[in-house]
Amino acid sequence: LAKTTQPISMDSYEGQEVNITCSHNNIATNDYITWYQQFPSQGPRFIIQGYKTKVKNEVASLFIPADRKSSTLSLPRVSLSDTAVYYCLVDPTSNTGKLIFGQGTTLQVKP
Amino acid sequence: GAVVSQHPSWVICKSGTSVKIECRSLDFQATTMFWYRQFPKQSLMLMATSNEGSKATYEQGVEKDKFLINHASLTLSTLTVTSAHPEDSSFYICSARGFSGELFFGEGSRLTVL
């Protein structure tokens, strides 16, 4: 299982764009990269998933270089409610594949 | 969208009693369900993987006799914490994976053992 490494914490201000980078050097061919958000005392919430290049949805963008050994989650114009822990995971996506969580990045958005 | 529901969302019990937590996939069939525990300000730690109709596979260091997992159907898995002690107090989270590989997490269950 590929291990992920991401910064432990980040600070930002409201309205700024936040980029969180994750490294996953041992990613396998069939693995996808998935990002989750977690608030205290809640289960992780799916943000975005990608395999390569760029993926975008209504809340975030995900940039994955050609070698897929890293990825960057981009949150446009963050607000106070985006203060949370963000996890980068390598997902085998097979119907029995398990997800191993790394330490996550605690994002603190300040007014 | 697909929803995974856990029950109860929080439970308080006395030391030495057993507690059961249910995890249900509400609008899809789950080939595999996963159980995690999370201590304050820590990440989620995978405890075990369960497949419908077969024995759960436990991660290293997790006591299978302490944390009983039953996956009786494609929509229900249960985690029973047997003879609970204060050190078992934690946030327990399940996730369910569908046949197409999609994965969803439950809302979590807070266990407090007095």
Side-chain angles (χ1 to χ4, degrees):
Chain A
L1 292 170
K3 179 181 177 181
T4 59
T5 303
Q6 51 186 121
I8 293 176
S9 63
M10 293 182 71
D11 288 341
S12 183
Y13 290 94
E14 281 191 292
Q16 289 187 333
E17 177 184 80
V18 171
N19 297 306
I20 306 175
T21 298
C22 176
S23 65
H24 25 79
N25 292 317
N26 297 322
I27 191 168
T29 303
N30 295 329
D31 292 339
Y32 279 69
I33 298 144
T34 312
W35 285 78
Y36 287 87
Q37 176 192 55
Q38 187 184 30
F39 296 111
S41 296
Q42 294 186 24
R45 185 176 75 98
F46 174 87
I47 301 174
I48 198 166
Q49 183 182 72
Y51 186 80
K52 61 181 179 181
T53 63
K54 177 182 176 181
V55 180
K56 184 178 180 180
N57 62 23
E58 62 274 11
V59 298
S61 296
L62 179 59
F63 301 92
I64 305 167
D67 66 5
R68 305 202 323 123
K69 292 183 182 298
S70 67
S71 60
T72 299
L73 173 72
S74 182
L75 303 172
R77 298 180 297 282
V78 295
S79 63
L80 295 176
S81 62
D82 293 317
T83 293
V85 180
Y86 293 81
Y87 292 100
C88 158
L89 292 106
V90 172
D91 188 349
T93 65
S94 67
N95 58 15
T96 57
K98 57 187 180 182
L99 258 62
I100 303 298
F101 282 75
Q103 61 189 7
T105 298
T106 299
L107 172 65
Q108 179 71 50
V109 179
K110 303 175 182 178
Chain B
V3 176
V4 173
S5 177
Q6 287 186 233
H7 178 81
S9 55
W10 60 269
V11 57
I12 301 173
C13 71
K14 292 182 179 180
S15 186
T17 61
S18 294
V19 174
K20 180 184 287 187
I21 300 170
E22 293 185 347
C23 177
R24 294 181 184 272
S25 56
L26 297 184
D27 56 1
F28 70 101
Q29 292 184 323
T31 57
T32 307
M33 287 186 172
F34 307 92
W35 286 95
Y36 296 84
R37 67 187 299 183
Q38 185 176 32
F39 292 108
K41 301 204 179 293
Q42 293 187 23
S43 183
L44 285 75
M45 185 194 79
L46 180 65
M47 300 174 66
T49 302
S50 74
N51 295 290
E52 184 262 341
S54 62
K55 290 183 178 180
T57 301
Y58 291 81
E59 295 296 307
Q60 189 174 10
V62 178
E63 301 175 59
K64 62 180 181 181
D65 295 330
K66 173 78 172 176
F67 300 99
L68 300 180
I69 292 172
N70 182 276
H71 194 155
S73 75
L74 287 172
T75 59
L76 174 64
S77 176
T78 60
L79 167 68
T80 301
V81 182
T82 62
S83 186
H85 289 94
E87 58 266 29
D88 298 321
S89 298
S90 189
F91 193 52
Y92 292 87
I93 302 168
C94 74
S95 65
R97 194 181 282 284
F99 283 93
S100 299
E102 68 275 26
L103 183 72
F104 302 96
F105 283 85
E107 317 97 319
S109 299
R110 172 76 60 192
L111 170 63
T112 300
V113 184
L114 302 177

